[in-house]
Amino acid sequence: MSTDSNEPNDPNEPEDSLPPAGASGAPGDAHADAEENGVETNGAGSDGAGLPPPPGRIVELSIEQELKDSYLTYAMSVIVSRALPDVRDGLKPSQRRILVAMNDLNLTPGASRVKCAKISGDTSGNYHPHGESVIYPTLVRMAQEWNMRHVLIDKQGNFGSIAGSPPAAMRYTEARMSAIAALLLEDLKLDTVDFVPTYDERHSEPTVLPSKFPNLVVNGANGIAVGMATSIPPHNLGEVCEALIRLIDEPDVSIDELLEIVPGPDFPTGGIIMGRSNLRRGYHTGRGMVTLRSRTRIEEYGKGRFRIIVTDLPYQKAGDAVEKRIAELVNEDRLKGISAMRNESDLKEPVRLVLELKRDADPEIVLNQLFQFSPLQDSFSLIFLALVDGKPRVLSFKAMLEEFLRHRVIVIRRRTQFLVAKARQRKHVVEGLLLAHANIDEVIRVIRSSSTTAEAKTRLMEIKCPSALIERALGEAGFTAFRADRGIADNYTLTPVQADAILRMTLGQLVNLEQEKLADEYRKLLDEIAEYLRILSDEKNIRDIIKADLQELRKKHADPRRTEISGEEIGSIEMEDLITEENMVVSISHNGYIKRTPASVYRAQRRGGKGIAGAKTEEEDPIAHLFVASTHDYLLFFTNRGKVYWQKVYDLPQLSRESRGRAVVNLLNFAPGERIADCRAVRDFTSDHFLMMATRNGLVKKTPLEAYGRPMKGGIIAIKLKDEDELVDVVITKPGDEVVLSTASGMAIRFKETDARPMGRNTSGVKGIKLMPDDRLVGMVVADPDATLLTACAKGYGKRTLFGPNSPATVAVGAGPGEGPVEDSEIEEPTPVEEEEVVDEGAEDTSSQQRYRTQRRGGKGLRDIKTTERNGWVIGVTGVTDDDELLMMTARGKIQRIAAREISTIGRNTQGVRIMSLDDDDSLAAIVRVPRDEADEAKNGE
């Protein structure tokens, strides 16, 4: 626009709006004109003290409204013309213009490559007014296989690297279109899309490409506009084609069903997407966030030495930048376990970063720190924003696919309409030529007797062609189509187009062979027109063509998925719905090393066997706790200081059965000197259940389970322990249950759970059993009338004895309604009821020997098993049925799994049988029951 123009700056503004600064009629010029005419002014326009300016030269505008209008005009220009892709072809204007310019240069996949400077110059000169320096970076990105899932430019030369090195200058690089890019431009010249004038109105450019390839979904898009941004990830071509076919066949298919076909993004650089919940939300709403991790593996390359191998990077992360950031973290002592870093990337393996760890470093901990602090873990925004009918719109995943199909339907319909019109034009010409051949003598006579071409044309158009002659020339099918176009008449004449075609005929075209060719061409044109009309008759026919195109596209260009989608969620998202529930064997050593192993890896053996290696333990670190729990259970860790901590079983490290485990202090926030005393698996913290705890000195305490239902990072108080006492066992009870306490010397007492009244968490409890000198409590179980009590001794002997039925309800000792909680300074003593003495076998009747009768808590109990020199002390008890299996672990780490039924059921006050053979320097450390369903799975898997 010239500076002396009186036109308004914005074509949407009224004619008398304020011109741009510096233009004729601007406020500054009006002020100058007034001064030149001798008019006194004060620079205030019509509000000044001087004479008002001439009418129509200056108008008052609200600066707020002017800024708003100008900003919106600029914003929409950036949104529509620069930053956002079109939903139909997935291209921004600059990308589309590059491909159109390459198409003008005939740079098809089979052509020779030309200099990128030539491509950039032609794009800038013909289509894009922003200069070749901004075009070349766009061209480069379209050629980089680490940025595009399927590159649109077939490159030659240095186009940069995934490490972050820049490309060479455009004068050194060459390019042509890739096969995929050619699909975007296919049928461009068949009137499939609209064209508009270019910026200088010397050429025309397409508003969108026909796009046989679903570019937006497959290659994704990134762009920042004014007040909005788009971030669409790449996807796998084969999966997208399959989803589009499914959408064609089932238009009402749900997004979740589409996500079964396209589970998520497929980045060109690979990686692992962590979690599915945010992914699903983003694909439903068009907005979300996913976490992307590098693919890594841990290798052992020396005795006790490990290294972490990084084999790919998060999308759009440069290798050099990642390496530099890791080095900074090591120098800042935020990553303390890395001793050396080495980049071993090459042409065969573009990403291979080796991180060697220090000898005492835990590789899992170092890897987690790398994910937390370094770019090896990154978040990717899901913003499915694109231009739909020229307006920015946030779309769901299904909506993006629907818009692509809608575009393809329009393209194929317009292509078919163009082809049918072209075929009809040619048919019309061929009809005239065939008529000329049929009446060739008259045609030649008229032409020879005409003095000019115009006269010949006029006279040819006056020749009467009888219907019979036309039917003979065109055939029955052709004559039917001819009459459908021209109407029914006895005689017909040639049209101007047909007359021109006849005049252009050469003598060589009068031979019979040419006449036969024309007849074949005519029949072929009739078939083509019929097929085109069939396609246009129903949209289903068009969608069938799209479906066939997608199947061919998938067959030729689809490749395997590169990005893995993990069910592991990052953050505070609940994972239970994403994790398969299975039973795990959880073991904890005396030094605090914990692990979980699927219970199915321990096969059942015969009783008395030596077992299999279960954990590599040192002599000074034997197994302290062993139990079976579901992956969905909570683990309550009770410590020697009377506190309880929470952890989900699936959050524990899953390791092989020979592995030592991981330090529990890395999982729980223990205080110095605090260690695990016992663990208990809990599914729900219900109000009708209780947690009953037993201590080494024979005390028991019952507290409602719901009192422990609020996890805290630093743990909460579970029980107030007396001096030199510690927690031994914890069970979950409900009203009507009875519990059995067992001691190391082989004594046991059974009493109703109501004998111990409910107390608060910060209490010590009441006496459960009266211990003999040097005796201690080793276990507590809930009595099952249909099960047996398995008692195991340290030297590998044990037995099973029936629990027997529960007794009728009795009143708990001292359980009056008005009695308050017991302070730790006053341990409740039971009312003296029959105190059982240790008696020899045979002193009691036979039925009494076969079960555990119910007593009052606080007594000495009954003899359960003889702790002779052969047996050793009792190490544990558990309740089992004949269908259960048992896991036994020794202090040296051996594990044996046997069927409970192999241990015979005998009475109390016996020595039992050998249940596991032990080495001379080994002893039985723990015994736990394997639930029935897990035992069945193990058998079926063998």
Side-chain angles (χ1 to χ4, degrees):
M1 181 179 293
S2 61
T3 56
D4 60 349
S5 172
N6 288 324
E7 293 295 325
N9 187 39
D10 189 341
N12 295 322
E13 292 178 0
E15 290 294 331
D16 57 350
S17 61
L18 186 64
S24 177
D29 290 339
H31 187 78
D33 291 343
E35 289 182 342
E36 290 175 3
N37 295 328
V39 179
E40 183 179 354
T41 67
N42 61 358
S46 59
D47 294 332
L51 295 174
R57 298 296 300 275
I58 296 178
V59 296
E60 292 185 3
L61 291 176
S62 168
I63 185 64
E64 180 180 341
Q65 186 63 35
E66 177 65 18
L67 290 175
K68 179 179 178 182
D69 292 343
S70 299
Y71 180 79
L72 288 177
T73 302
Y74 162 74
M76 289 307 299
S77 173
V78 172
I79 290 170
V80 175
S81 303
R82 299 187 69 174
L84 298 185
D86 194 293
V87 72
R88 297 168 290 180
D89 61 6
L91 298 173
K92 301 177 186 179
S94 58
Q95 297 171 324
R96 188 179 302 115
R97 288 163 178 166
I98 289 172
L99 294 180
V100 171
M102 295 179 74
N103 188 58
D104 294 344
L105 293 170
N106 199 27
L107 295 179
T108 60
S112 299
R113 300 178 182 89
V114 302
K115 293 286 187 182
C116 291
K118 168 68 173 174
I119 300 171
S120 300
D122 278 24
T123 304
S124 175
N126 295 334
Y127 300 107
H128 202 63
H130 300 292
E132 60 186 22
S133 61
V134 294
I135 294 172
Y136 183 57
T138 302
L139 186 149
V140 166
R141 190 181 187 280
M142 295 165 67
Q144 292 175 334
E145 60 272 9
W146 57 92
N147 274 323
M148 305 288 286
R149 189 61 178 81
H150 290 269
V151 294
L152 302 180
I153 302 296
D154 183 7
K155 66 181 186 295
Q156 180 170 298
N158 176 16
F159 276 71
S161 71
I162 193 173
S165 58
M170 68 179 78
R171 61 183 178 275
Y172 299 119
T173 57
E174 298 179 351
R176 64 185 176 192
M177 284 191 293
S178 68
I180 289 291
L183 294 176
L184 292 175
L185 292 153
E186 189 174 298
D187 300 332
L188 180 63
K189 297 181 180 180
L190 301 184
D191 192 32
T192 52
V193 294
D194 294 331
F195 282 73
V196 295
T198 57
Y199 68 95
D200 58 2
E201 298 187 354
R202 291 190 302 166
H203 301 85
S204 62
E205 61 176 322
T207 58
V208 68
L209 299 185
S211 189
K212 189 176 182 179
F213 166 71
N215 183 59
L216 180 65
V217 182
V218 174
N219 274 329
N222 286 282
I224 301 175
V226 179
M228 60 185 69
T230 185
S231 179
I232 302 173
H235 293 83
N236 184 270
L237 175 59
E239 295 172 353
V240 171
C241 289
E242 188 176 348
L244 287 166
I245 292 172
R246 177 74 177 275
L247 188 58
I248 292 172
D249 294 336
E250 303 176 31
D252 295 330
V253 64
S254 67
I255 296 179
D256 288 330
E257 289 173 325
L258 290 175
L259 289 181
E260 294 176 4
I261 302 172
V262 185
D266 188 22
F267 296 104
T269 53
I272 302 173
I273 295 174
M274 308 303 295
R276 299 177 184 271
S277 58
N278 284 337
L279 197 63
R280 180 178 177 275
R281 187 181 307 114
Y283 278 60
H284 273 266
T285 64
R287 291 186 180 273
M289 182 85 70
V290 295
T291 301
L292 186 63
R293 278 184 176 178
S294 298
R295 186 175 278 108
T296 60
R297 67 176 183 270
I298 297 173
E299 292 182 355
E300 186 173 2
Y301 68 98
K303 189 173 181 181
R305 296 295 299 273
F306 294 90
R307 61 188 175 194
I308 297 173
I309 310 296
V310 181
T311 56
D312 58 29
L313 298 174
Y315 185 49
Q316 295 182 336
K317 291 294 180 184
D320 290 347
V322 172
E323 191 174 350
K324 179 180 178 181
R325 179 56 183 158
I326 293 176
E328 291 175 352
L329 292 171
V330 172
N331 294 333
E332 294 169 1
D333 282 340
R334 299 182 68 183
L335 291 176
K336 299 183 179 180
I338 298 177
S339 61
M341 178 169 56
R342 189 168 60 256
N343 192 339
E344 298 181 355
S345 304
D346 55 24
L347 292 177
K348 283 182 125 182
E349 199 169 3
V351 177
R352 180 179 171 85
L353 189 62
V354 180
L355 305 173
E356 295 184 357
L357 307 185
K358 297 177 181 178
R359 188 176 297 275
D360 59 345
D362 188 326
E364 293 290 346
I365 295 176
V366 175
L367 186 58
N368 287 334
Q369 291 174 342
L370 282 168
F371 289 145
Q372 182 177 0
F373 301 121
S374 77
L376 293 184
Q377 176 175 302
D378 191 29
S379 59
F380 186 90
S381 297
L382 301 178
I383 308 174
F384 295 164
L385 178 68
L387 295 176
V388 181
D389 298 328
K391 298 177 182 179
R393 178 179 156 197
V394 177
L395 304 163
S396 66
F397 180 68
K398 180 182 178 181
M400 284 197 300
L401 299 181
E402 289 174 334
E403 289 296 332
F404 173 77
L405 291 179
R406 183 168 71 97
H407 172 58
R408 288 299 297 166
V409 167
I410 294 173
V411 166
I412 292 177
R413 179 180 288 115
R414 291 185 59 166
R415 181 186 70 184
T416 308
Q417 290 171 343
F418 174 83
L419 292 175
V420 73
K422 186 176 179 181
R424 281 173 169 167
Q425 290 174 359
R426 179 57 184 169
K427 179 178 81 69
H428 182 65
V429 171
V430 173
E431 284 174 347
L433 296 177
L434 288 173
L435 290 178
H437 277 279
N439 196 15
I440 190 63
D441 294 335
E442 179 66 14
V443 169
I444 292 175
R445 186 191 66 78
V446 168
I447 294 175
R448 291 185 64 182
S449 62
S450 299
S451 58
T452 64
T453 303
E455 180 186 351
K457 178 179 178 180
T458 302
R459 293 179 62 187
L460 284 174
M461 292 170 58
E462 294 174 351
I463 297 176
K464 301 290 184 179
C465 298
S467 298
L469 177 66
I470 295 175
E471 184 176 5
R472 187 169 61 252
L474 302 181
E476 183 178 353
F479 182 63
T480 302
F482 179 84
R483 294 178 67 178
D485 293 338
R486 301 282 296 271
I488 300 175
D490 293 333
N491 296 294
Y492 297 91
T493 58
L494 297 174
T495 65
V497 174
Q498 291 172 333
D500 285 336
I502 292 171
L503 291 173
R504 289 195 299 269
M505 287 177 62
T506 63
L507 292 176
Q509 292 179 284
L510 298 179
V511 299
N512 290 333
L513 181 61
E514 290 298 322
Q515 187 174 356
E516 291 178 2
K517 287 183 179 180
L518 284 174
D520 291 340
E521 181 184 0
Y522 187 69
R523 286 190 293 271
K524 184 179 179 182
L525 287 170
L526 291 177
D527 293 339
E528 289 179 354
I529 292 171
E531 175 61 19
Y532 295 148
L533 294 177
R534 185 194 67 81
I535 293 172
L536 294 172
S537 65
D538 190 349
E539 187 173 310
K540 181 180 181 301
N541 300 327
I542 297 177
R543 291 182 175 268
D544 289 340
I545 295 175
I546 298 173
K547 184 176 178 180
D549 289 343
L550 291 170
Q551 290 171 340
E552 182 183 6
L553 183 63
R554 179 177 59 183
K555 181 179 179 181
K556 287 185 177 180
H557 300 286
D559 57 5
R561 166 172 279 276
R562 301 178 189 177
T563 301
E564 176 186 345
I565 300 178
S566 171
E568 180 183 352
E569 298 284 347
I570 302 297
S572 59
I573 299 173
E574 291 295 333
M575 296 175 55
E576 287 192 13
D577 294 337
L578 306 175
I579 293 181
T580 302
E581 184 171 7
E582 60 178 321
N583 284 335
M584 292 285 171
V585 177
V586 181
S587 61
I588 307 173
S589 70
H590 275 290
N591 286 349
Y593 284 84
I594 188 171
K595 69 171 182 176
R596 64 181 172 102
T597 306
S600 57
V601 304
Y602 300 103
R603 67 182 185 276
Q605 296 177 291
R606 304 287 297 177
R607 103 177 143 78
K610 287 197 171 185
I612 58 177
K616 294 181 180 179
T617 60
E618 304 173 359
E619 293 185 3
E620 64 273 13
D621 189 23
I623 298 301
H625 303 283
L626 180 72
F627 53 92
V628 176
S630 166
T631 50
H632 287 191
D633 287 347
Y634 279 100
L635 280 186
L636 302 184
F637 293 91
F638 297 89
T639 70
N640 59 327
R641 296 190 177 181
K643 296 181 72 175
V644 61
Y645 296 81
W646 290 258
Q647 187 72 282
K648 279 285 191 180
V649 172
Y650 58 67
D651 284 331
L652 300 178
Q654 180 173 340
L655 303 171
S656 65
R657 68 188 185 197
E658 297 88 0
S659 175
R660 181 185 183 188
R662 295 283 183 260
V664 74
V665 294
N666 293 324
L667 300 175
L668 304 176
N669 190 22
F670 280 175
E674 197 170 13
R675 59 179 174 82
I676 294 176
D678 196 13
C679 302
R680 186 58 52 191
V682 177
R683 174 59 62 90
D684 299 308
F685 295 88
T686 56
S687 59
D688 58 343
H689 285 67
F690 298 90
L691 209 59
M692 184 171 285
M693 288 166 273
T695 71
R696 182 181 61 181
N697 291 343
L699 299 180
V700 295
K701 190 193 82 161
K702 186 176 73 172
T703 303
L705 183 60
E706 62 181 351
Y708 300 92
R710 283 189 161 186
M712 294 181 63
K713 187 175 181 181
I716 62 174
I717 295 175
I719 184 174
K720 182 176 288 188
L721 296 173
K722 300 294 291 181
D723 294 338
E724 299 182 356
D725 198 4
E726 63 180 25
L727 195 62
V728 171
D729 215 338
V730 182
V731 297
I732 298 174
T733 65
K734 62 182 182 301
D737 284 343
E738 296 183 0
V739 295
V740 177
L741 305 180
S742 297
T743 72
S745 64
M747 300 299 294
I749 187 172
R750 175 178 181 173
F751 59 87
K752 299 182 71 63
E753 62 91 23
T754 52
D755 281 1
R757 68 180 181 277
M759 301 179 180
R761 289 188 294 103
N762 194 16
T763 55
S764 295
V766 296
K767 182 171 290 187
I769 187 171
K770 187 174 183 181
L771 299 174
M772 301 293 289
D774 298 329
D775 199 5
R776 58 186 174 84
L777 195 69
V778 295
M780 172 174 59
V781 298
V782 177
D784 182 354
D786 299 324
T788 58
L789 179 68
L790 173 68
T791 306
C793 297
K795 294 188 178 180
Y797 289 87
K799 69 172 183 67
R800 287 198 301 149
T801 303
L802 292 169
F803 280 110
N806 288 344
S807 64
T810 58
V811 179
V813 177
E819 190 171 359
V822 178
E823 301 296 335
D824 74 328
S825 59
E826 46 178 12
I827 303 302
E828 180 182 343
E829 294 289 345
T831 303
V833 188
E834 54 174 334
E835 195 173 273
E836 299 293 332
E837 300 293 339
V838 179
V839 294
D840 292 331
E841 187 175 358
E844 303 180 44
D845 59 66
T846 305
S847 62
S848 177
Q849 285 285 321
Q850 299 299 319
R851 62 181 178 81
Y852 302 89
R853 71 174 184 270
T854 305
Q855 301 174 270
R856 297 280 184 88
R857 66 168 177 83
K860 292 181 179 179
L862 306 170
R863 171 67 64 184
D864 177 27
I865 192 171
K866 294 181 178 180
T867 53
T868 61
E869 183 178 352
R870 186 200 76 165
N871 285 2
W873 294 98
V874 176
I875 57 97
V877 292
T878 185
V880 295
T881 66
D882 287 344
D883 295 328
D884 290 332
E885 292 187 354
L886 298 168
L887 274 180
M888 298 177 289
M889 179 174 279
T890 71
R892 300 299 299 274
K894 284 188 176 180
I895 289 181
Q896 182 180 3
R897 180 172 183 163
I898 66 171
R901 68 170 63 90
E902 294 187 13
I903 304 175
S904 56
T905 302
I906 56 179
R908 294 185 295 101
N909 201 13
T910 56
Q911 291 197 88
V913 297
R914 178 176 293 279
I915 59 176
M916 186 174 185
S917 298
L918 303 173
D919 295 331
D920 293 340
D921 57 348
D922 204 357
S923 63
L924 197 59
I927 184 167
V928 295
R929 178 183 70 93
V930 179
R932 184 179 309 174
D933 57 346
E934 183 59 41
D936 293 341
E937 288 181 16
K939 291 176 182 175
N940 295 334
E942 293 178 357

